[in-house]
DNA sequence: CTGAAAGCGCTTACAG
DNA sequence: CTGAAAGCGCTTACAG
């Protein structure tokens, strides 16, 4: 059908419409008044040629890419989808595209691979764990607009952050175990050591115990790492030891899966013998047996808000230093409630 | 620290190193011999200035973007993550970045929003359901290299496709129900009407019944749409009717969740009274109660292979017309096996 | 092996 | 409202 010649450029359109390329550019961008008659002529020429402006040329001329880079680690589990959906929705509505890079396990900045920077994005969304603090500082030093997700900036660095409220919700869900279900020996499965969500969740746990004069027993604190198998192994070990417990705050829902599997394998009844509660309210929470009582983290909203802040930063030069999204308890049956 | 002037360009490097910009370009690209001494000088100048070539300028000059566009619909559930991980791994290893666009529900081509095209990508990976056949034809007509995922090309169009084997595996899993577990009245939950995976899975189901002289009962075929709630509603309706059945082939794992929930709510025992089997082996398959017997689809590999084919197409002008990845049965307990 | 120059396809002051 | 011209920052024949 089509001739296989090269795609039409702005010159072709200008020639066909009998105007200058400046004028074509103006009708494409609609940023300057152009007479109605000429607009019509240019538009029909564009249609006839099936003209689409080359992004690279616009980028070069404007020094803008209209692209947001998203840096993610691999280990996001169910975060991935809602987070990206949120980012994409907002970005697209504002005329930005998103370039995604999975950094995998954080690695020392590999100079040869610079996936993102001023050269190909207008700004970056950096998810917790995808970049080292040094990497963040370096990106920031280059003048690239940055927004951090679920991670606060390295000390002294003025980089906006959007995350969720962890501590109060964690305290509340643990207090629910204590007050409503009379649990006294509550296991905490810690998240990854350098993870801020994990840190605040542990603080919430500690506050809850302290508020009810429960002793903080180190034997009740194990590793969960937000991972199913790690959590499973920890609980198996505890069950095999002589440490008794009557509840588990798993740190996140993914770890809750491992806990449930370990308990089930041992024939321990949840919640009759042991209550289990998680954090995140991932899609799997409601299909566990019993359905998981947890804290809902608004991950899609986090994505939206992060994109919104970054675009604001790109456009105006400033954004809100901290956006803390609210979380809420979701009561299902694993804590002992009947719903 | 840094002066807030504009980032260094190739001219700055050339000046500092005392060479022409052509030479700088050559050491950056390493495509033409340059004397060792000059390489050293240029490299140290680049380091000193912290120079990074502007992608937009290279793109303009080379008419290459080194970027692959990925078109996805929204409704991918657990596909999303492994698929993208696969694509990203291969793309990065070959020096490509990936630009992602969620098209949401397929919409008639919206001329104002052209997220991808020759103007900003070197080629496109198109997931089933993210573009209409007309959209695919249009993209193909513009000369953009295309690879389809889980979807074959519109008639007559020469576009490579990578997908998984559906029919034989479906037949096998249904025959497993018939032969090993003596099931006779097996419900099929169909996937979305225009979905090819759904089509072939249904063919496999039909073949299995035919091979064992079981009647194809239209009352046993309901809508599943690969969606939890749709599947749940269908099974609830069947349970309420007088149609009896002793097994369900749910079409995919997501629908299997709905089936299990409906059965459980009614107090029907799985697999004692009714066997349930799915397709995909998503992460949730093994945490269902009982764990789900299903077919494993190698989604991450699909992503890898699709990226590989697209890059091959971009580089050499041709790729394999069809890549059919093998699937395998995963026996857990929902079919009636004891494992 | 190295440099001068044209070209990639746009945008945007500057004039008018 | 419209056009001529410079510039965005690279790559790549073409000479030497």
């Amino acid at each position: 059908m089509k001739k296989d010649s090269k795609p039409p450029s702005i010159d072709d359109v200008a020639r066909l419409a009998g105007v200058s390329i400046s004028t074509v550019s103006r009708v494409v961008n609609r940023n300057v008044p152009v007479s109605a008659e000429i607009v019509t002529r240019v538009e029909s020429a564009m249609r006839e040629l099936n003209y689409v402006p080359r992004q690279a040329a616009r980028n070069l001329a404007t020094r803008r890419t209209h692209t947001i880079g998203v840096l993610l680690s691999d280990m996001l589990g169910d975060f991935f989808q809602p987070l990206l959906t949120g980012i994409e929705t907002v970005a697209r509505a504002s005329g930005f595209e998103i370039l995604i890079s999975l950094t995998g396990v954080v690695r020392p900045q590999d100079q040869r691979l610079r996936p993102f920077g001023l050269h190909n994005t207008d700004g970056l969304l950096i998810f917790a764990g995808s970049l080292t603090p040094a990497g963040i500082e370096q990106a920031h030093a280059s003048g690239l607009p940055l927004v951090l997700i679920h991670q606060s900036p390295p000390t002294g660095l003025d980089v906006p952050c959007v995350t969720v409220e962890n501590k109060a919700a964690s305290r509340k869900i643990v207090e629910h175990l204590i007050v409503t279900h009379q649990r006294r020996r509550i296991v905490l499965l810690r998240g990854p050591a350098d993870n801020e969500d994990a840190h605040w969740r542990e603080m919430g746990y500690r506050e809850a115990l302290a508020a009810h004069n429960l002793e903080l027993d180190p034997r009740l604190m194990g590793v969960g790492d937000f991972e199913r198998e790690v959590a499973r192994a920890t609980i198996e070990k505890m069950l095999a030891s002589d440490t008794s417990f009557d509840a588990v705050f798993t740190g996140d829902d993914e770890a809750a899966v491992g806990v449930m599997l370990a308990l089930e394998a041992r024939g321990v009844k949840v919640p009759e013998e042991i209550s289990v509660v998680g954090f995140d309210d991932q899609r799997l929470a409601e299909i566990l047996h019993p359905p998981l009582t947890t804290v809902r983290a608004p991950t899609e909203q986090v994505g939206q808000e992060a994109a919104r802040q970054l675009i604001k930063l790109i456009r105006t030069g400033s954004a809100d230093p901290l956006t803390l999204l609210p979380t809420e308890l979701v009561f299902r049956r694993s804590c002992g409630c009947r719903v």
Side-chain angles (χ1 to χ4, degrees), chain A:
Chain A
M1 317 240 139
K2 300 247 143 113
K3 285 220 204 115
D4 228 332
S5 54
K6 45 161 74 175
S9 75
I10 196 170
D11 299 272
D12 301 315
V13 177
R15 203 170 308 121
L16 182 59
V19 298
S20 73
I21 62 166
S22 317
T23 298
V24 175
S25 173
R26 287 176 192 123
V27 351
V28 167
N29 293 300
R30 310 181 164 291
N31 48 0
V32 164
V34 176
S35 75
E37 188 237 340
I38 288 195
V39 169
T40 317
R41 244 158 62 205
V42 171
E43 282 182 340
S44 85
M46 296 200 297
R47 215 169 306 115
E48 181 170 334
L49 296 174
N50 217 300
Y51 169 70
V52 182
R54 305 262 130 186
Q55 262 312 130
R58 310 177 90 165
N59 293 349
L60 222 211
T62 58
R63 277 97 139 269
R64 272 298 177 77
T65 67
H66 303 286
T67 300
I68 286 175
V70 181
L71 237 36
L72 299 170
S73 60
D74 270 345
M75 14 176 206
L76 293 175
D78 279 356
F79 265 68
F80 210 79
Q81 181 176 18
L83 188 77
L84 283 183
T85 300
I87 293 171
E88 229 272 347
T89 307
V90 169
R92 164 184 299 247
S94 302
F96 283 84
E97 293 174 10
I98 69 179
L99 211 48
I100 292 181
S101 183
L102 306 179
T103 60
V105 173
V106 173
R107 61 185 158 217
Q109 58 267 39
D110 181 342
Q111 291 288 353
R112 289 175 14 79
L113 277 185
R114 313 203 184 207
F116 293 147
L118 278 169
H119 64 295
N120 63 354
T121 62
D122 292 347
L124 250 45
L125 254 20
I126 301 174
F127 193 86
S130 61
L131 224 53
T132 58
I136 295 173
E137 286 184 37
Q138 186 178 311
H140 184 254
S142 80
L144 195 62
L146 259 36
V147 168
L148 302 177
I149 302 181
H150 277 250
Q151 181 180 27
S152 44
T155 325
L157 231 55
D158 180 28
V159 179
C161 161
V162 2
T163 185
V164 303
E165 200 295 309
N166 281 298
K167 195 177 74 167
S170 297
R171 172 171 172 169
K172 262 187 248 164
I173 204 165
V174 174
E175 289 193 305
H176 173 74
L177 293 174
I178 298 170
V179 174
T180 306
H181 302 293
Q182 287 80 47
R183 302 303 172 169
R184 291 292 173 272
R185 296 194 49 78
I186 303 172
V187 169
L188 170 71
L189 255 33
R190 289 191 170 106
D194 54 354
N195 184 289
E196 289 178 26
D197 294 319
H199 172 77
W200 292 115
R201 289 172 196 176
E202 176 172 342
M203 291 303 111
Y205 167 84
R206 287 171 181 261
E207 281 190 9
L209 297 199
H212 295 270
N213 298 311
L214 294 178
E215 174 202 11
L216 190 74
D217 184 342
R219 288 169 303 174
L220 295 181
M221 302 175 65
V223 296
D225 275 359
F226 294 172
E227 279 183 34
R228 191 180 294 195
E229 293 308 326
V230 173
R232 190 207 294 241
T234 298
I235 293 300
E236 278 167 356
K237 212 170 301 162
M238 285 191 183
L239 288 170
S241 76
D242 56 353
T243 313
S244 73
F245 56 97
D246 54 17
V248 186
F249 174 36
T250 67
D252 87 328
D253 290 354
E254 194 49 41
V257 175
V259 171
M260 301 278 242
L261 291 173
L263 260 18
E264 188 183 3
R266 272 282 200 138
V268 179
K269 295 287 177 216
V270 175
E272 293 78 0
E273 301 174 62
I274 294 187
S275 296
V276 176
V277 299
F279 202 113
D280 283 345
D281 197 27
Q282 298 178 8
R283 279 166 55 86
L284 49 73
E286 64 169 334
I287 64 174
L288 288 178
H289 266 69
L292 188 68
T293 290
T294 188
V295 177
R296 177 170 301 150
T299 304
E300 183 166 344
Q301 264 187 62
V302 168
Q304 292 183 13
E305 200 49 47
R308 210 167 276 139
Q309 293 295 331
L310 181 59
I311 290 169
K312 189 175 162 196
L313 185 58
I314 291 169
R315 291 189 172 152
T316 72
S318 76
D320 305 344
L322 177 64
T323 306
L324 197 63
L325 265 27
T327 47
E328 58 171 329
L329 270 56
V330 180
F331 298 102
R332 298 201 181 90
R333 294 209 308 277
S334 66
C335 57
C337 286
R338 301 146 183 274
V339 278

